[in-house]
Amino acid sequence: QLQLQESGPGLVEPSETLSLTCTVSGGSINNNRYYWGWIRQPPGKGLEWIGSIYYTGSTYYNPSLKSRLTKSIDTSKNQFSLELSSVTAGDTAVYYCARIMYVTMVRPSGIDVWGQGTTVTVSS
Amino acid sequence: DIQMTQSPSSQPASVGDRVTITCRASQSISNYLNWYQQKPGTAPKLLISAASTLQSGVPPRFSGSGSGTDFTLTISSLQPEDFATYYCQQSYSMVFTFGPGTKVDVK
């Protein structure tokens, strides 16, 4: 059974760069039927799409975060990563990595597998 | 960006009630609409994809309908384990967007 696990620091200082990695187990990330993505949820609020990446390295970002975002994928390690620069308190959230279905290969579909989430707090 | 709205934002309900949640997109998204259930402290769970396709293991009391800009999630007979927050999400655009959520709580 496919599992995703986020890893990274729980505390980041303002203006620094947040780096998170998602490790995929029980299946290969090198698969043309899925995208891989990041979603976050500030405390007590709703879900916010961050971005997605395909196994080829193609990326799609939330426009509101695009200037601060870098995503990468390492198929040899079965991992994908997120870097968010110049963080502020507004970036405090639970960050989820996830798998997005692309079975039709026309447009993506639902997010069918989620990591358990990792809490990131931005504070000095 | 495609904006998603949901109504109501809160739905008090009792066990056995029929619950309907609506989701509207700011432009046509065909049937690229997905529904999730989230309980406190846990990751969201995909219930329905492509507007009406029930995911494996999801009870048949959940159903989805709609196309274009207007969509509906229906719980035919609310069970105790269904008290949660429900989100819609469009995947028509590669920049995904979520609705603000509907909290189904105890009346």
Side-chain angles (χ1 to χ4, degrees), chain B residues 48-104:
Chain B
I48 290 170
S49 65
S52 60
T53 301
L54 201 66
Q55 297 303 292
S56 175
V58 176
R61 63 181 178 272
F62 290 93
S63 65
S65 65
S67 183
T69 60
D70 295 315
F71 302 87
T72 299
L73 172 70
T74 299
I75 309 172
S76 60
S77 178
L78 193 71
Q79 297 303 298
E81 60 269 30
D82 300 336
F83 291 101
T85 301
Y86 294 85
Y87 295 92
C88 62
Q89 173 246 333
Q90 64 81 19
S91 54
Y92 180 84
S93 163
M94 287 306 300
V95 177
F96 295 178
T97 43
F98 289 92
T102 295
K103 185 174 184 179
V104 177

Side-chain angles (χ1 to χ4, degrees), chain A residues 90-108:
Chain A
D91 295 310
T92 293
V94 175
Y95 286 73
Y96 296 100
C97 63
R99 186 179 80 170
I100 306 130
M101 298 187 290
Y102 189 48
V103 291
T104 66
M105 302 189 75
V106 174
R107 281 189 167 92

Side-chain angles (χ1 to χ4, degrees), chain A residues 12-19 40 65 67-69 83-91 122:
Chain A
V12 183
E13 292 196 358
S15 80
E16 297 295 307
T17 296
L18 163 66
S19 297
R40 70 181 184 180
L65 301 171
S67 64
R68 299 193 289 131
L69 268 177
E83 288 190 345
L84 182 64
S85 64
S86 305
V87 297
T88 69
D91 295 310
V122 179

Side-chain angles (χ1 to χ4, degrees), chain A residues 35 39 41 45-49 52 60-64 96 100-102 104 106-112 114-117, chain B residues 1 30 32 34 36 38 41-46 48-50 55 87 89-101:
Chain A
Y35 278 80
I39 301 101
Q41 186 168 34
K45 296 188 177 181
L47 302 167
E48 181 182 26
W49 178 257
S52 62
Y60 300 90
Y61 297 143
N62 184 327
S64 69
Y96 296 100
I100 306 130
M101 298 187 290
Y102 189 48
T104 66
V106 174
R107 281 189 167 92
S109 184
I111 305 166
D112 67 335
W114 297 68
Q116 65 183 22
Chain B
D1 296 358
S30 184
Y32 290 93
N34 311 297
Y36 302 86
Q38 187 180 32
T42 68
K45 173 187 176 182
L46 178 64
I48 290 170
S49 65
Q55 297 303 292
Y87 295 92
Q89 173 246 333
Q90 64 81 19
S91 54
Y92 180 84
S93 163
M94 287 306 300
V95 177
F96 295 178
T97 43
F98 289 92

